[in-house]
Amino acid sequence: MQVAKPVGRNASAMKYDILSALGVSALSGDKHRQRLLLRLMVLITTRYNWQNNELSMGRAEIARLWSVDERTVKREMAKMRSAGWVEVKRAGVKGRVTVYALNLDGVMAETAGSWDLIGTDFADRMGDRHGGAGEPAQTADPKVIPFQPRARTDLAEGSWGQVLAQLRIEAPAQATAWFGQLSEMAHEGGRVTLAAPSRFVADYVSTHFQAHLLRAYAAVDPGVRRIEVVPVEA
């Protein structure tokens, strides 16, 4: 999956939303997370090229911006790469600095848990942009039949409807941004397989909401012991 770049029409609003998500996510964490995310935000607002997805800065320049030494820059940039927030686009060589790229998939996954702190409208908007198929909106081709997961007509389909209805009551923001994108592919032998529209959604739901989904399913069908979320991309 590739998140749509914030360029073109509505680009300014998308950029503000990304920075808002980073800021609120930082404030919801401890001082170490706050500092690391603030340093990322400074890089974005001072030197990041949104159009080309490039951050071209030398270690000395970053150190000056952050008011730290270069060893700290090396350590902090390694943390950002490890977290999946930035990637090396072109390695530095003699006379040329390293060029980084912002990994919007990683940034969205990192901040998604804080979207509803800004408001359900923000969570809905970000979910539409980054939680779905992840591609810019395109005009439908009348000759192409869009893929739809195979519908079930038995009790299992009804149980997912009950589960989703309960999730919308318990966690409306998460239901809108994440759960509402899922559909049930299989339900048998105590195991449920849910389809997600992209690997990003599947991985995020599996990582952050597995226990929540299992509790909700068990309330409807106590026989459910395992839930698997898989990407089914068109």
Side-chain angles (χ1 to χ4, degrees):
M1 168 195 158
Q2 292 182 337
V3 172
K5 293 192 298 183
V7 296
R9 189 175 64 178
N10 298 324
S12 295
M14 292 176 67
K15 293 173 185 177
Y16 276 117
D17 283 348
I18 290 170
L19 291 172
S20 296
L22 284 168
V24 172
S25 182
L27 292 172
S28 67
D30 60 26
K31 63 181 181 180
H32 303 291
R33 176 184 173 81
Q34 290 176 8
R35 184 167 54 204
L36 190 62
L37 282 172
L38 176 60
R39 286 172 173 167
L40 176 61
M41 292 172 69
V42 168
L43 295 182
I44 293 173
T45 56
T46 58
R47 291 293 186 270
Y48 179 60
N49 184 319
W50 293 94
Q51 183 69 42
N52 298 327
N53 189 17
E54 289 186 350
L55 175 68
S56 180
M57 294 183 69
R59 196 175 294 170
E61 185 179 4
I62 297 175
R64 186 170 62 251
L65 281 176
W66 290 354
S67 298
V68 298
D69 57 35
E70 292 188 32
R71 291 180 61 187
T72 300
V73 171
K74 182 178 180 180
R75 183 176 63 249
E76 296 291 85
M77 293 303 296
K79 290 180 182 178
M80 291 181 191
R81 293 197 305 273
S82 178
W85 304 345
V86 299
E87 302 170 342
V88 174
K89 191 170 185 178
R90 290 193 296 275
V93 295
K94 187 175 181 180
R96 300 177 65 177
V97 302
T98 299
V99 177
Y100 296 95
L102 184 65
N103 180 5
L104 287 179
D105 276 349
V107 169
M108 291 303 99
E110 183 67 31
T111 63
S114 302
W115 294 349
D116 60 337
L117 297 177
I118 300 176
T120 55
D121 59 329
F122 183 87
D124 292 349
R125 185 164 69 248
M126 294 295 275
D128 289 342
R129 287 176 182 161
H130 307 291
E135 300 294 336
Q138 300 177 353
T139 302
D141 185 341
K143 295 180 291 184
V144 177
I145 300 176
F147 173 83
Q148 296 291 339
R150 184 175 60 183
R152 291 177 58 93
T153 58
D154 58 11
L155 181 61
E157 183 178 21
S159 65
W160 170 240
Q162 295 176 55
V163 170
L164 184 57
Q166 185 59 35
L167 289 171
R168 291 189 188 281
I169 296 173
E170 296 177 358
Q174 287 83 356
T176 299
W178 303 103
F179 304 140
Q181 300 181 70
L182 307 178
S183 60
E184 191 175 82
M185 294 180 66
H187 182 163
E188 56 188 356
R191 177 177 175 178
V192 172
T193 302
L194 299 175
S198 70
R199 182 166 297 280
F200 173 69
V201 175
D203 289 347
Y204 190 86
V205 171
S206 296
T207 300
H208 296 276
F209 301 122
Q210 183 76 230
H212 199 153
L213 282 170
L214 186 57
R215 285 197 302 271
Y217 249 108
V220 174
D221 180 357
V224 173
R225 294 290 182 268
R226 181 180 176 186
I227 294 178
E228 182 179 11
V229 184
V230 299
V232 183
E233 299 177 278

